[in-house]
Structure formats: C-alpha cells, structure tokens
C-alpha cells in the first residue's frame, strides 16, 4: 500500500480558497487512482473527488462541481484538491485515499488512507 500524508487544511472565510496536498510514499504512486473524501462531525464519510492514474479522468460529487478541482503530479507523488468559493457546509476533515481499482466508485475501493486534515469555513 501507499502511505499518504495530507496538508493544507485550515480556517478560511466563506468565499475563500484552500489547496490541499497529499504526498504519497513509494514508487508506485502512478498505479493508484486517487480520491478525496470528507467527514463532518456526526456524518458519514463522503466522496468528494477522484482522479484516474494518469490524471485523464476526474469525478466530483455534485455539491463541489465547478468549485473544486482535483489534480495530480505523478513526478512529485502528490495529489491536490483546489477548493474555491468555499462554503460553511464544506467544513470537515478531508482525507486523501488511494485505490488500485482503475475507476473506483465506492469507499471500499480505496485501500490506502491518510490521517486527514481539518478544513473549517466560517460564515
């Protein structure tokens, strides 16, 4: 499995932006599809976005389409989540995850997880 470490979370006002990064260890990063999930207090973990191994395909939950962008740099073993026009309802712990499935479609398809980074959006 790949080891994942997220960074870039913090406190931001509504309408602001943050960029999350997820650094992966190992030489097999490019063989993993990557995803971002989030979990708010008292709620289940929610899919946010995913990106295919080479970065050619991306998927988003409807609530973030047009505001968030997932990208990856396989040379740097890093996946990013650019979050713009943030809303208070985006407040959550954000997790990076890796999957050996080509186009993962559920939480169960992701076998590698980071420790999470807190994103708080104030109104």
């Amino acid at each position: 499995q790949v080891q994942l470490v997220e960074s870039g979370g913090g406190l931001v006002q509504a309408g602001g932006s943050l960029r999350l990064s997820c650094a992966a260890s190992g030489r097999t990063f490019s063989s993993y599809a990557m995803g971002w999930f989030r979990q708010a207090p008292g709620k289940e973990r929610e899919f946010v976005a995913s990106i295919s191994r080479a970065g050619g395909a991306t998927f988003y939950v409807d609530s973030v389409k047009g505001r968030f962008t997932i990208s990856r740099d396989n040379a740097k073993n890093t996946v990013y989540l650019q979050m713009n026009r943030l809303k208070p309802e985006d407040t959550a712990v954000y997790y990076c995850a890796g999957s050996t499935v080509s186009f993962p479609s559920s939480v169960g398809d992701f076998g590698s997880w980071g420790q999470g980074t807190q994103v708080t959006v104030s109104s």
Side-chain angles (χ1 to χ4, degrees):
Q1 291 185 345
V2 65
Q3 305 300 314
L4 304 171
V5 178
E6 303 96 334
S7 61
L11 173 64
V12 64
Q13 289 187 334
S17 298
L18 282 175
R19 188 175 83 154
L20 305 183
S21 298
C22 173
S25 64
R27 295 176 293 178
T28 60
F29 177 70
S30 60
S31 66
Y32 285 79
M34 298 299 297
W36 286 95
F37 291 77
R38 65 187 179 187
Q39 188 165 19
K43 296 188 177 181
E44 293 186 353
R45 191 166 297 190
E46 174 191 36
F47 168 81
V48 175
S50 64
I51 188 166
S52 59
R53 294 165 179 169
T58 57
F59 303 92
Y60 300 91
V61 67
D62 286 347
S63 60
V64 309
K65 285 181 180 177
R67 301 189 297 121
F68 291 11
T69 303
I70 188 171
S71 61
R72 67 188 298 163
D73 185 338
N74 286 346
K76 295 183 178 180
N77 282 11
T78 303
V79 62
Y80 306 97
L81 185 68
Q82 178 67 44
M83 305 185 294
N84 298 327
R85 304 201 309 276
L86 282 159
K87 304 176 181 180
E89 51 264 44
D90 294 318
T91 295
V93 176
Y94 281 71
Y95 297 90
C96 171
S99 173
T100 56
V101 175
S102 296
F103 296 98
S105 59
S106 67
V107 172
D109 288 337
F110 290 85
S112 300
W113 292 85
Q115 82 290 349
T117 185
Q118 177 71 47
V119 171
T120 303
V121 184
S122 64
S123 58

